């Protein structure tokens, strides 16, 4: 090869090398890493929180006046002679302090002042009120299951009960010598009062809307009421029972029973109970007022998951209800048909 041709070959080879080097620089490999993040599961509502009523002292104190002494000795202006600036109304013979006016004037009736629970949550709740005897009164005082007394009944009977005092289909539970009076009410939550949000402390979740955007919350109220048998002979020195009223709440649970009604002719229901939960009491609330404390083996039987009521108690109380209370405090109420 001539020197001239050798120079041409070297030039071509150098050019090819430069082109190849340039091509490799354009298509050279690079490495990078990435991480995955997770925003979380379903949005959750705030933890259930309920404020139970702060009950003023004396709310559940009651005055028994079977002999009508307050009425007989009242002042000319209608106020009570013994209780200054106080007016008593009602005919049951048992009185509670129902209201106090701004000027201090007090009104006593057969109803205690209503106490209210408001459910400011998205979740539904069950509010339970229990009335029970703290200390017994005189041995001859018996608890009545209704607020009215037959004219031939001369026993020393006292009626004490808790009720939602509804104008129709009121829920009522009366205190008895065998068991406390228990009233359970479902109060719906309002999910629409919450909106999805995020904050650095709690992360994602529902938070309550501004007050101006809230719709009305749901609530329930309970009063205590009473009556005394005026046909009985009540002496000068009588000790009456002291009582305790307890309020509690829990997130609502679906019924443990298979039906919301029970038939007088086919009075059996199926129970689905959480582990360890048992039946504590079965109480019939009569349509005409009063209660029947049912006895296992006499008024009802529980075999496996089947609760069967006797035909007598059901047939005699059509139109009333039967309340089943469980060891966890849950109460199911069935209409007797």
């Amino acid at each position: 090869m001539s020197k001239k041709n050798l120079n041409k070959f070297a030039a071509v080879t150098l050019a090819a090398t430069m082109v190849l080097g340039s091509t490799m620089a354009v298509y050279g490999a690079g490495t990078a890493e990435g991480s995955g993040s997770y925003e979380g599961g379903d949005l959750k509502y705030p933890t259930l929180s309920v404020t139970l009523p702060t009950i003023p002292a004396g709310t559940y104190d009651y005055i028994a006046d079977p002999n009508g002494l307050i009425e007989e000795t009242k002042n000319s202006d209608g106020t009570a002679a013994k209780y200054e600036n106080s007016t008593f109304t009602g005919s049951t013979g048992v009185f509670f302090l129902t209201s106090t006016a701004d000027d201090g004037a007090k009104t006593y009736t057969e109803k205690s002042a209503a106490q209210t629970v408001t459910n400011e949550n998205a979740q539904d709740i069950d509010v339970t009120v229990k009335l029970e005897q703290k200390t017994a009164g005189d041995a001859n005082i018996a608890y009545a299951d209704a607020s009215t007394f037959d004219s031939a009944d001369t026993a020393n009977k006292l009626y004490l009960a808790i009720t939602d005092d509804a104008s129709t289909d009121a829920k009522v539970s009366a205190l008895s010598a065998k068991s406390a009076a228990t009233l359970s009410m479902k109060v719906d939550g309002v999910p629409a009062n919450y909106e999805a949000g995020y904050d650095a402390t709690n992360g994602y979740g529902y938070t309550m809307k501004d007050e101006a955007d809230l719709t009305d919350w749901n609530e329930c109220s309970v009063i205590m009421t009473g009556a005394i048998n005026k046909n009985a002979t009540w002496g000068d020195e009588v000790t009456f029972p002291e009582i305790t009223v307890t309020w509690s709440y829990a997130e609502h649970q679906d019924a443990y029973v298979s039906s919301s009604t029970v038939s007088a002719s086919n009075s059996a229901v199926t129970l689905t109970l959480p582990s360890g939960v048992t039946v504590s009491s079965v109480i019939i609330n009569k349509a005409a007022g009063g209660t029947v404390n049912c006895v296992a083996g006499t008024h009802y039987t529980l075999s496996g998951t089947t609760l069967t009521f006797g035909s007598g108690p059901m047939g005699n109380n059509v139109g009333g209800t039967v309340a089943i209370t469980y060891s966890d405090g849950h109460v199911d109420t069935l209409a007797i048909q």
Side-chain angles (χ1 to χ4, degrees), residues 151-228:
S151 59
D153 185 354
T154 59
N156 294 86
K157 291 182 178 179
L158 172 67
Y159 174 76
L160 295 174
I162 46 177
T163 173
D164 63 0
D165 203 31
S167 56
T168 58
D169 298 325
K171 293 183 177 180
V172 183
S173 183
L175 181 62
S176 77
K178 295 182 179 179
S179 64
T182 303
L183 202 64
S184 185
M185 298 149 289
K186 178 187 175 187
V187 186
D188 292 340
V190 186
N193 278 344
Y194 289 81
E195 60 187 357
Y198 174 84
D199 68 59
T201 301
N202 299 311
Y204 290 108
Y206 288 102
T207 58
M208 190 183 297
K209 294 179 179 178
D210 293 336
E211 186 173 354
D213 299 325
L214 298 177
T215 59
D216 290 340
W217 300 104
N218 296 306
E219 61 184 27
C220 67
S221 296
V222 171
I223 68 164
M224 184 174 167
T225 187
I228 195 165

Side-chain angles (χ1 to χ4, degrees), residues 1-315:
M1 178 180 294
S2 66
K3 184 176 180 180
K4 182 177 180 180
N5 290 336
L6 180 62
N7 290 338
K8 289 182 177 180
F9 176 77
V12 171
T13 301
L14 178 61
T17 301
M18 292 176 66
V19 171
L20 179 60
S22 175
T23 303
M24 290 179 68
V26 170
Y27 292 100
T31 301
E33 296 180 350
S35 63
S37 63
Y38 180 58
E39 294 300 291
D42 293 337
L43 289 170
K44 294 180 174 57
Y45 289 103
T47 302
L48 189 69
S49 177
V50 177
T51 301
L52 295 174
T54 301
I55 302 171
T59 297
Y60 299 123
D61 292 344
Y62 62 96
I63 300 170
D65 185 26
N67 298 313
L69 301 180
I70 295 174
E71 175 67 21
E72 189 174 349
T73 61
K74 68 181 180 181
N75 300 317
S76 58
D77 63 357
T79 59
K82 179 179 178 180
Y83 301 91
E84 184 178 358
N85 201 20
S86 298
T87 302
F88 285 72
T89 61
S91 59
T92 67
V94 171
F95 300 96
F96 299 87
L97 176 58
T98 305
S99 63
T100 302
D102 292 339
D103 63 358
K106 297 179 179 180
T107 300
Y108 289 81
T109 74
E110 71 275 8
K111 299 178 180 181
S112 71
Q115 305 299 317
T116 301
V117 169
T118 302
N119 184 13
E120 296 184 357
N121 296 276
Q123 305 94 319
D124 300 340
I125 62 172
D126 290 318
V127 176
T128 301
V129 182
K130 181 170 68 173
L131 164 65
E132 56 190 332
Q133 179 179 281
K134 179 182 178 181
T135 59
D138 287 350
N140 67 329
I141 298 178
Y143 289 112
D145 60 7
S147 60
T148 57
F149 305 92
D150 187 270
S151 59
D153 185 354
T154 59
N156 294 86
K157 291 182 178 179
L158 172 67
Y159 174 76
L160 295 174
I162 46 177
T163 173
D164 63 0
D165 203 31
S167 56
T168 58
D169 298 325
K171 293 183 177 180
V172 183
S173 183
L175 181 62
S176 77
K178 295 182 179 179
S179 64
T182 303
L183 202 64
S184 185
M185 298 149 289
K186 178 187 175 187
V187 186
D188 292 340
V190 186
N193 278 344
Y194 289 81
E195 60 187 357
Y198 174 84
D199 68 59
T201 301
N202 299 311
Y204 290 108
Y206 288 102
T207 58
M208 190 183 297
K209 294 179 179 178
D210 293 336
E211 186 173 354
D213 299 325
L214 298 177
T215 59
D216 290 340
W217 300 104
N218 296 306
E219 61 184 27
C220 67
S221 296
V222 171
I223 68 164
M224 184 174 167
T225 187
I228 195 165
N229 188 7
K230 298 180 181 180
N231 304 318
T233 299
W234 297 92
D236 293 332
E237 299 293 336
V238 182
T239 300
F240 279 81
E242 295 181 354
I243 50 90
T244 300
V245 180
T246 305
W247 290 67
S248 61
Y249 73 91
E251 187 167 354
H252 173 71
Q253 298 177 347
D254 290 334
Y256 295 165
V257 292
S258 58
S259 173
S260 61
T261 63
V262 59
S263 169
S265 58
N266 184 21
S267 52
V269 293
T270 300
L271 301 182
T272 303
L273 301 180
S275 177
V277 174
T278 58
V279 174
S280 296
S281 69
V282 177
I283 298 175
I284 294 174
N285 297 294
K286 300 178 179 180
T291 60
V292 176
N293 293 293
C294 298
V295 178
T298 301
H299 300 99
Y300 71 92
T301 58
L302 179 59
S303 177
T305 61
T306 302
L307 180 68
T308 304
F309 300 95
S311 58
M314 294 297 104

